[in-house]
Amino acid sequence: NVTRGGMQVRYMVNMTKDINFLFTMMTFTVAIMSIATKEERTAKDYITLGVFGLFASLYRHFSLEIVLVTLVILLMALILDKKVYITKKQIGIFVSTIVSIILANILLVDILGFGVLKADKNPNYVKFSIPMNVVSAMAYRNQMNGEYIPKEVVDEMEKIMPIEKWSDCYCNYDADVVSRRWNKVGDDILKLNDREMQKRIISLNWYFLTHNTKSYVISLFDINSIVWEIATPIDEEVYYVVSEDRTDIMHLHKGVPFYTIEDSVKYISRRPILCALILRGGMALFVLILSFSLLIMKRSYLAIGTIPMGLYATSLLISIPQSNSRYSMPIIVFAILFSIISFLESNRRKDFV
């Protein structure tokens, strides 16, 4: 009974950061919209914004950048709109809020986490999933389709691993295969802990982007298709909650709750309309863009609330490790929220520039 149902608990652990990111980003967005629409703002409003902004910045790659860019955009909008009354003191408090979020991140992550608590840092190669994946895709195209790669470029690639292995590691829905030690790439990935190797992988990306742009862009969009595509039924297996091989490796038994979830996901993923609405981000992303446009047309400052999720969707183009629906989940939830907001919002901000 201890291990029975262990897999759904394991999956919930994996999902914790995704759920926390969603909820904290939601509360941060609400705080943003509150600041944007209030005519009189108090210190409590800025404290709330700072606290929620800090929480939202801790759970995912680029989340700190998303929070900071959103805050800067909001501040600039309030300053540039001559119809909005914001004092120099409020501007100072706003800037202090931004600085406080940065300092709190340094305190919690670098000083407390890695300094005091001695947390282990992820190897540097974790940051290079997408750059590794697209180079792997180019090798795959070379080996399978004969797409030309100059010998000097192949030599650069083979300083990391043989081109045949680059090709074998390619998976258009899972960058982990070519960027994680426990997958096909093996110990070769540890070479990217070296700064020179990191520069090499970036230079390879630049080469393929500038010399074989079409194939590079196709490969880049393949890996993050979960974000922008409306439906691709052929890849339905990527939605399953936990893979069979991971279950076998962990020697855990799946209980009734797991099968209930798994069966539901399989049912949804095999029906294109449900799949498009619930599991993929493409339709939701379109709705989010439409909601932003409607709020702009209504001259509403609530449009700024869509910026965090717009930035998040953009960040997934270069940071998503696999086509898993948990990455598109925040986009779907925000699309539902802002479709309602954009529909109900009136033209009350006639002075919005």
Side-chain angles (χ1 to χ4, degrees):
N1 289 333
V2 173
T3 58
R4 185 166 183 79
M7 284 312 300
Q8 56 262 33
V9 175
R10 173 72 162 79
Y11 185 69
M12 288 174 65
V13 171
N14 286 343
M15 287 289 288
T16 297
K17 63 179 181 297
D18 300 288
I19 298 298
N20 286 340
F21 173 75
L22 170 60
F23 287 163
T24 56
M25 190 59 71
M26 184 75 75
T27 52
F28 170 68
T29 300
V30 171
I32 281 284
M33 293 190 292
S34 177
I35 289 282
T37 55
K38 279 188 175 181
E39 294 186 3
E40 294 185 6
R41 305 167 189 86
T42 65
K44 180 181 178 181
D45 295 319
Y46 291 106
I47 292 173
T48 303
L49 182 67
V51 171
F52 288 158
L54 172 62
F55 287 150
S57 69
L58 293 173
Y59 288 106
R60 183 168 295 289
H61 294 309
F62 294 110
S63 56
L64 175 59
E65 290 80 359
I66 291 170
V67 167
L68 296 179
V69 170
T70 303
L71 289 175
V72 170
I73 291 174
L74 174 60
L75 177 59
M76 295 305 298
L78 294 176
I79 292 175
L80 295 176
D81 190 346
K82 297 179 180 179
K83 302 294 184 179
V84 176
Y85 181 70
I86 181 169
T87 65
K88 291 182 179 180
K89 180 179 179 180
Q90 287 181 329
I91 294 175
I93 295 174
F94 204 117
V95 172
S96 298
T97 301
I98 295 175
V99 173
S100 296
I101 292 174
I102 297 173
L103 293 178
N105 263 270
I106 295 173
L107 175 64
L108 292 174
V109 178
D110 297 319
I111 298 177
L112 179 60
F114 295 125
V116 178
L117 299 179
K118 305 298 182 184
D120 292 329
K121 288 187 177 181
N122 284 328
N124 289 330
Y125 70 81
V126 169
K127 301 176 182 178
F128 293 88
S129 292
I130 299 303
M132 288 290 289
N133 184 265
V134 289
V135 172
S136 181
M138 304 307 291
Y140 179 85
R141 292 171 181 274
N142 170 265
Q143 296 291 292
M144 298 294 109
N145 305 327
E147 285 196 16
Y148 177 69
I149 301 178
K151 183 180 183 304
E152 60 271 18
V153 177
V154 173
D155 291 341
E156 284 295 296
M157 294 169 63
E158 293 195 330
K159 289 178 181 177
I160 298 175
M161 58 186 177
I163 191 169
E164 293 81 9
K165 188 173 183 180
W166 275 107
S167 175
D168 186 51
C169 286
Y170 175 60
C171 177
N172 61 332
Y173 287 112
D174 190 353
D176 279 355
V177 177
V178 73
S179 61
R180 300 293 184 268
R181 186 182 182 187
W182 55 82
N183 265 315
K184 284 186 177 182
V185 65
D187 289 341
D188 281 330
I189 196 62
L190 297 178
K191 295 176 183 177
L192 263 75
N193 287 327
D194 181 77
R195 190 166 296 275
E196 288 302 315
M197 288 294 186
Q198 295 172 14
K199 293 179 180 178
R200 181 168 284 113
I201 196 67
I202 296 301
S203 65
L204 285 169
N205 273 255
W206 177 251
Y207 173 84
F208 288 123
L209 175 62
T210 54
H211 289 78
N212 199 341
T213 305
K214 181 180 178 180
S215 294
Y216 183 91
V217 172
I218 289 173
S219 302
L220 177 64
F221 276 81
D222 269 349
I223 191 61
N224 51 57
S225 60
I226 191 71
V227 180
W228 60 270
E229 279 189 346
I230 292 177
T232 305
I234 195 172
D235 69 346
E236 62 185 29
E237 68 273 8
V238 304
Y239 302 128
Y240 296 170
V241 179
V242 179
S243 62
E244 292 293 336
D245 58 341
R246 186 174 296 180
T247 304
D248 295 337
I249 291 172
M250 296 186 67
H251 303 291
L252 293 176
H253 301 288
K254 296 185 291 186
V256 173
F258 176 89
Y259 285 112
T260 302
I261 295 172
E262 186 179 49
D263 290 343
S264 298
V265 173
K266 287 181 179 179
Y267 178 88
I268 292 170
S269 66
R270 288 170 180 166
R271 284 152 181 82
I273 295 178
L274 288 177
C275 172
L277 294 176
I278 298 175
L279 294 178
R280 303 192 76 87
M283 185 67 72
L285 188 58
F286 173 79
V287 170
L288 195 63
I289 294 172
L290 179 61
S291 299
F292 171 80
S293 302
L294 289 174
L295 289 171
I296 289 293
M297 292 173 61
K298 292 183 175 182
R299 302 177 180 273
S300 173
Y301 264 109
L302 294 178
I304 296 177
T306 64
I307 291 176
M309 202 43 51
L311 293 173
Y312 168 71
T314 303
S315 75
L316 290 179
L317 291 176
I318 57 174
S319 67
I320 191 170
Q322 57 187 206
S323 274
N324 192 301
S325 56
R326 64 191 177 99
Y327 295 107
S328 59
M329 174 179 62
I331 300 173
I332 296 170
V333 174
F334 268 72
I336 296 171
L337 172 65
F338 278 96
S339 62
I340 298 172
I341 291 176
S342 63
F343 179 77
L344 297 177
E345 176 71 352
S346 62
N347 289 329
R348 58 181 177 171
R349 293 299 299 242
K350 301 291 187 182
D351 54 354
F352 178 67
V353 177

